[in-house]
């Protein structure tokens, strides 16, 4: 009877998070169509991203249920192999390292590190865990070999957070901390674009960000102020930005998911982007998987959100699929029991009510 009650509670938790996900992703797709109709925009990019996240999430749920250890490990290795084997993750002109594919590479490696950490915490064989940690560390080393400092920092942060997650008893506090980190990075991005920072900090940030990127952000913020509610229409930043138009290799994007949403889809678009991230954290909070698995996946998704706030990561389909896949893997209900969760992985973890 206890097992039946636990199964019913788990089903209720999963149903609420799934319903929230359907509502958020559906709203994102619908709003992109509305704003495109209002300003003759091109919603295909947004629709593709929504489809990629949904497809990745569904695949993660299926694969995570069938193979809770092998599936995230395979995903981690595939993500690392993709960054090595496909230097440019999207067709079209590459503006160079500061604005090109570097952000997507860093985001994909952070997601791969998170997947390897999820595999480590999911295994019921303690002897396998050091080897899986070694895979995660190897992915961070891969970022160093590829020369992406952002990838090294993001992957190392995910790995360290995951190692510490084994001692966390209340996932809600950990996930709330990750949300604060993401909000802080996006707030800092907005402050840089609006010129709200003092001269010293602003100058120190402008160096690694490049002046060109900051000017793109300023153009995006100016467009957002022109149409604060609905934006100028999806896909129209490139044709309306003076900085983008003056660059011969411009890809027509401001290289910040936050500011691109603000410019092209207004305040409602920004709210929907935030809602999509919050939905993933909510699904991780409600899942019956071990707390360490939920926090590892949450750390990787937070790293992605941070990279996307200052780069172009979400414009790459592979990254959107990877984000959905990791969230699905971390919230899947394995077909077999997880003795590690019940015994030794997180002894103080308790299923959410």
């Amino acid at each position: 009877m206890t097992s039946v009650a636990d199964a019913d509670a788990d089903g209720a938790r999963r149903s609420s998070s799934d319903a929230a996900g359907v509502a958020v992703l559906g709203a994102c797709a619908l709003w992109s169509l509305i704003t495109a109709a209002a300003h003759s925009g091109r919603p295909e990019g947004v629709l593709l991203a929504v489809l990629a996240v949904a497809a990745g999430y569904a695949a993660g749920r299926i694969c995570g249920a069938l193979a809770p250890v092998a599936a995230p490990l395979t995903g981690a290795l595939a993500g690392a192999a993709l960054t090595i084997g496909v230097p440019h993750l999207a067709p079209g002109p590459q503006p160079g390292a500061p604005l090109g594919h570097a952000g997507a590479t860093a985001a994909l490696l952070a997601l791969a590190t998170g997947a390897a950490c999820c595999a480590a915490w999911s295994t019921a064989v303690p002897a396998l865990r050091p080897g899986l940690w070694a895979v995660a560390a190897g992915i961070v080393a891969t970022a160093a070999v590829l020369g992406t400092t952002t990838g090294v920092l993001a992957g190392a942060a995910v790995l360290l957070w995951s190692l510490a997650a084994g001692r966390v008893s209340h996932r809600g506090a950990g996930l709330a901390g990750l949300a604060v980190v993401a909000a802080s990075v996006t707030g800092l991005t907005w402050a840089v674009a609006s010129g709200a920072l003092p001269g010293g900090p602003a100058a120190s940030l402008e160096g690694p960000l490049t002046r060109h990127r900051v000017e793109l952000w300023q153009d995006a913020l100016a467009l957002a102020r022109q149409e604060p509610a609905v934006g100028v229409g999806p896909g129209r930043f490139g044709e309306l930005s003076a900085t983008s138009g003056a660059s011969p290799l411009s890809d027509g994007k401001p290289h910040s998911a936050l500011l691109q949403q603000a410019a092209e889809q207004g305040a409602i678009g920004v709210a929907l982007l935030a809602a999509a991230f919050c939905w993933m954290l909510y699904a991780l909070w409600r899942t019956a998987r071990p707390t360490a698995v939920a926090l590892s996946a949450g750390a990787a998704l937070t790293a992605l959100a941070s990279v996307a706030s200052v780069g172009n990561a979400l414009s790459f389909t592979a990254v959107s699929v990877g984000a959905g896949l990791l969230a699905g893997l971390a919230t899947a209900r394995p077909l077999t029991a997880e003795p590690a969760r019940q015994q030794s992985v997180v002894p103080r973890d308790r299923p959410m009510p």
Side-chain angles (χ1 to χ4, degrees), residues 213-328:
R213 188 191 303 254
V214 174
E215 290 176 351
L216 288 173
W217 290 1
Q218 291 171 346
D219 285 357
L221 192 57
L223 293 174
R225 287 168 176 166
Q226 291 177 16
E227 296 285 349
V230 299
V232 298
R236 297 195 66 213
F237 174 81
E239 65 186 71
L240 297 175
S241 167
T243 302
S244 180
S247 175
L249 293 179
S250 173
D251 58 3
K253 302 180 186 301
H255 292 266
S256 169
L258 168 70
L259 294 171
Q260 182 170 353
Q261 283 291 97
E264 296 184 346
Q265 299 188 53
I268 296 178
V270 172
L272 289 173
L273 181 64
F277 176 69
C278 291
W279 157 62
M280 289 189 174
L281 293 187
Y282 174 72
L284 293 172
W285 178 58
R286 299 289 286 178
T287 183
R289 299 297 303 280
T291 289
V293 171
L295 292 180
S296 298
L301 293 171
T302 301
L304 167 59
S306 300
V307 172
S309 295
V310 298
N312 201 27
L314 292 184
S315 295
F316 294 79
T317 303
V319 175
S320 299
V321 172
L325 182 66
L326 179 60

Side-chain angles (χ1 to χ4, degrees), residues 150-256:
T150 305
V152 173
L153 295 176
V158 171
L159 178 57
L160 293 175
W161 180 273
S162 180
L163 290 171
R167 298 182 178 276
V168 176
S169 57
H170 301 290
R171 72 181 66 184
L175 293 173
L178 294 174
V180 170
V181 170
S184 300
V185 175
T186 55
L188 183 61
T189 301
W190 193 278
V192 171
S194 62
L197 293 179
S204 63
L205 289 173
E206 186 175 306
L209 290 173
T210 73
R211 180 60 191 169
H212 180 56
R213 188 191 303 254
V214 174
E215 290 176 351
L216 288 173
W217 290 1
Q218 291 171 346
D219 285 357
L221 192 57
L223 293 174
R225 287 168 176 166
Q226 291 177 16
E227 296 285 349
V230 299
V232 298
R236 297 195 66 213
F237 174 81
E239 65 186 71
L240 297 175
S241 167
T243 302
S244 180
S247 175
L249 293 179
S250 173
D251 58 3
K253 302 180 186 301
H255 292 266
S256 169

Side-chain angles (χ1 to χ4, degrees), residues 68-134:
V69 179
L73 176 60
T74 302
L77 296 175
L82 184 61
T83 59
I84 297 172
V86 186
H88 301 286
L89 299 177
Q94 300 294 332
L99 294 180
H101 62 280
T105 299
L108 203 55
L109 289 172
L111 292 173
T113 304
C117 292
C118 288
W121 284 118
S122 297
T123 183
V125 183
L128 295 178
R129 205 160 288 139
L132 295 171
W133 293 128

